[in-house]
Amino acid sequence: MENNTLIGFMAAFCTTVSFVPQVIHILRTGNVDGISLLMYSIFTTGVSLWLLYGFLVDDMPMMAANLITLILALMVLGLTIYKRKLQKFRK
């Protein structure tokens, strides 16, 4: 494996794994008070575009990182919407 590819995979791993604690926190506590729907919506759109770009340029680290990041970001976004609707319903 080339050094550039290895660095790409390491960067992808770090930025992707950074979302895991947020997902775990939401699943454990149900607390989504500090989550910005606008920020996560824009971010998720950006990650989707980076994933598409990764496919277009055939860049495996970019594709892998953005696919996993997209899944995690969609989980945060979906859980936030679900929990907030659930909170409104209970009031």
Side-chain angles (χ1 to χ4, degrees), residues 1-10 61:
M1 183 179 299
E2 291 183 28
N3 286 339
N4 292 348
T5 303
L6 182 59
I7 290 169
F9 274 117
M10 289 170 46

Side-chain angles (χ1 to χ4, degrees), residues 20-91:
V20 173
Q22 185 67 63
V23 172
I24 291 171
H25 174 75
I26 293 171
L27 290 172
R28 283 188 180 161
T29 68
N31 185 346
V32 295
D33 293 338
I35 304 295
S36 167
L37 286 177
L38 180 59
M39 178 270 179
Y40 265 92
S41 297
I42 294 168
F43 179 78
T44 302
T45 301
V47 170
S48 299
L49 292 170
W50 276 117
L51 177 61
L52 176 61
Y53 178 77
F55 278 107
L56 293 173
V57 299
D58 195 30
D59 185 324
M60 185 53 71
M62 186 177 290
M63 289 186 282
N66 286 295
L67 178 61
I68 296 167
T69 302
L70 179 61
I71 291 166
L72 293 169
L74 284 170
M75 286 178 71
V76 171
L77 195 57
L79 286 167
T80 300
I81 292 167
Y82 173 76
K83 296 286 185 180
R84 288 190 180 162
K85 285 188 179 199
L86 193 60
Q87 289 172 351
K88 284 184 182 181
F89 178 73
R90 289 182 177 168
K91 289 184 179 181

